[in-house]
Amino acid sequence: MLPDLSPFRSSRDFRLLWAQGLVTNFGSFMAMIALPLQIKDLTDSPLAVGAMGAVELVPLVVFGLYGGALADAVDRRKVILLTEAGLGLLAVVLLVNSALPEPLLWPLYVVAAGVSALAGLQRPALDSLMARIVPHDQLTAAAALNAVRWQLGAIAGPSLAGLVVAYAGHATAYGITVLGFSASVLMCLRLASAPAAHDAEKPSLRAIAEGARYAWSRPVLLGTYAIDLAAMFFAFPNTIFPFLADDLDAEWSLGLMYAAGSVGSVVLSLTSGWTSRVRRHGLFVVFGAAGWGLAITAAGWFSDIRVVLVCLAIAGAGDMLSGLGRSTIWNQTVPEELRGRLAGIEVLSYSVGPQLGQVRAGAMAGWTGTRPAIWGGGVACVASVGLLAAVLPKLMTYDAATDEDALRRRAQKEQREQREQNDSSGEAAAETATT
């Protein structure tokens, strides 16, 4: 049941990325909670808070796709380093604006769009690097450990952000974010270079289209994208949690609401040792997304805050299970030369859904009320996941031991590692002979 720690032992860069991600995630979640709270304080409008998703959507789509092509064409370490520094500078803008006697509203939306653009550029480089630095048979374990890292920040960040904003103000929360990104940049400087292949294609619309054609030709990949997109669009109510806390007369619980899903996710991650022995990862995707929708439905239906928090934790566990399945399938089946571009499409699949979900939740809450917007979205999520599973049966039957793409990628990686080992042995022998 305990998590598999093999990636820590086998890869120095994995250890660095894990630590870097833990630090930057903590700071990012501080800002992620402080930003919508500040918009709420300035406008008292659920639609204004939900509009963050609309502002972030276009930059995420454009730069996510371009970032995928860029990750296949340049040194991925440079992309990660430069975008991390850019995110730190945007946190400085939030800090300066919050320190004004009367903070302005429009810079909050500008920064939200900028963060979305830089995240779109960075995530394909990060995601595509994982399959290079971690052995093939440790990819599920690496995904689980990355989830633990992300969820630790997701628990501590929101929980402390609510207290920090309430007692120390938005500026303090943004200041912590700036410190987090500063430390993260220093760790990124220590990563080994990850250059592209000599014959790598330059970023272009044609290169992006090539990746899209590959994804479209693989029903298993299409299923992972479609199910995650539907689940997040219909059942991602985080943006209206401040109004849910008001409805339940439990303003004190806002930070716990944001953290509850991460608690469920980290519990599943910390007991994920068994997932390394599972081959039917498509079932993870379907059952995890359906469990997420059912739990969100219950969270919107019940009025006891304790029950609501438990439901949100269960939802987080379902999302984590689905995420492990998606990450493993992506890393096991995508060719190395297309990994960056497919990672760009993956960024859209798991990022566009939440952005659109924020808009849906905010608009529906203004029309029907907060709680119907939550449980209604959960019901739609379960229905859409069931429909997609029925029309994409290859996802349900995916087996890592028999899937042709997974077997081909494993053989290619073993051959590449053998060549690198032979080259290293040859260089050592030549150096010894010269000496």
Side-chain angles (χ1 to χ4, degrees):
M1 294 296 290
L2 294 177
D4 183 355
L5 303 181
S6 300
F8 281 138
R9 294 188 289 268
S10 62
S11 175
R12 170 187 174 273
D13 278 353
F14 179 81
R15 294 193 297 271
L16 271 175
L17 281 177
W18 196 92
Q20 171 267 334
L22 181 63
V23 172
T24 194
N25 282 346
F26 177 78
S28 297
F29 275 105
M30 290 290 289
M32 188 182 299
I33 303 306
L35 189 56
L37 281 176
Q38 190 171 19
I39 294 176
K40 176 181 179 290
D41 291 343
L42 292 174
T43 65
D44 196 32
S45 166
L47 185 59
V49 177
M52 277 183 58
V55 169
E56 294 166 340
L57 180 59
V58 173
L60 183 63
V61 172
V62 174
F63 288 93
L65 290 173
Y66 180 77
L70 189 68
D72 282 335
V74 302
D75 190 329
R76 291 166 185 170
R77 172 184 175 273
K78 291 182 179 178
V79 176
I80 295 168
L81 178 61
L82 293 175
T83 51
E84 197 75 0
L87 290 168
L89 290 176
L90 290 178
V92 172
V93 174
L94 290 175
L95 175 60
V96 172
N97 181 65
S98 64
L100 297 175
E102 294 185 6
L104 302 173
L105 179 62
W106 65 265
L108 304 183
Y109 289 110
V110 171
V111 169
V115 168
S116 184
L118 289 174
L121 286 174
Q122 184 187 79
R123 287 310 298 263
L126 274 173
D127 292 349
S128 59
L129 186 60
M130 201 56 56
R132 175 179 288 193
I133 65 176
V134 175
H136 186 88
D137 59 354
Q138 296 177 12
L139 288 172
T140 302
L145 291 172
N146 281 335
V148 171
R149 175 203 67 190
W150 192 87
Q151 298 300 344
L152 288 175
I155 294 170
S159 300
L160 292 178
L163 296 174
V164 169
V165 172
Y167 294 104
H170 299 94
T172 303
Y174 296 141
I176 294 173
T177 302
V178 172
L179 292 176
F181 278 112
S182 300
S184 175
V185 168
L186 293 176
M187 282 186 276
C188 287
L189 288 170
R190 300 182 58 197
L191 289 172
S193 178
H198 295 298
D199 57 349
E201 189 173 355
K202 293 182 178 180
S204 64
L205 290 176
R206 188 169 70 85
I208 294 172
E210 182 183 359
R213 282 195 298 271
Y214 179 86
W216 184 258
S217 68
R218 298 299 190 273
V220 173
L221 289 178
L222 280 180
T224 64
Y225 302 147
I227 285 181
D228 188 49
L229 184 64
M232 293 298 104
F233 173 73
F234 288 115
F236 191 79
N238 292 29
T239 191
I240 56 174
F241 279 171
F243 301 94
L244 178 61
D246 290 344
D247 281 359
L248 299 178
D249 194 24
E251 291 81 2
W252 55 269
S253 69
L254 179 58
L256 296 177
M257 286 185 184
Y258 283 111
S262 299
V263 171
S265 296
V266 80
V267 168
L268 190 139
S269 299
L270 290 174
T271 57
S272 62
W274 60 275
T275 62
S276 296
R277 299 185 293 275
V278 174
R279 304 178 312 189
R280 300 284 298 278
H281 302 106
L283 298 180
F284 281 7
V285 177
V286 174
F287 291 139
W292 159 270
L294 286 171
I296 292 296
T297 301
W301 186 263
F302 290 105
S303 57
D304 187 322
I305 183 60
R306 294 166 296 182
V307 177
V308 170
L309 292 174
V310 170
C311 291
L312 292 176
I314 295 173
D319 186 46
M320 184 69 258
L321 184 64
S322 181
L324 285 178
R326 295 193 307 272
S327 178
T328 303
I329 290 173
W330 294 339
N331 284 322
Q332 284 182 342
T333 62
V334 175
E336 173 64 26
E337 65 273 12
L338 293 175
R339 196 170 294 281
R341 279 163 281 182
L342 269 293
I345 297 174
E346 291 156 17
V347 167
L348 299 187
S349 76
Y350 62 68
S351 298
V352 170
Q355 306 306 329
L356 292 175
Q358 291 185 78
V359 178
R360 182 212 65 82
M364 190 171 176
W367 176 42
T368 66
T370 301
R371 292 172 62 191
I374 295 174
W375 66 256
V379 171
C381 167
V382 175
S384 61
V385 169
L387 178 62
L388 288 168
V391 300
L392 294 168
K394 287 191 175 182
L395 177 63
M396 295 287 288
T397 59
Y398 173 84
D399 189 326
T402 59
D403 183 82
E404 293 182 0
D405 287 328
L407 294 174
R408 191 178 297 116
R409 299 293 86 77
R410 184 187 186 97
Q412 290 174 347
K413 184 167 185 176
E414 290 173 350
Q415 292 171 2
R416 183 174 65 253
E417 291 173 348
Q418 185 62 47
R419 286 196 303 269
E420 292 173 352
Q421 184 177 356
N422 293 339
D423 292 343
S424 178
S425 300
E427 291 173 0
E431 183 177 351
T432 301
T434 302
T435 303

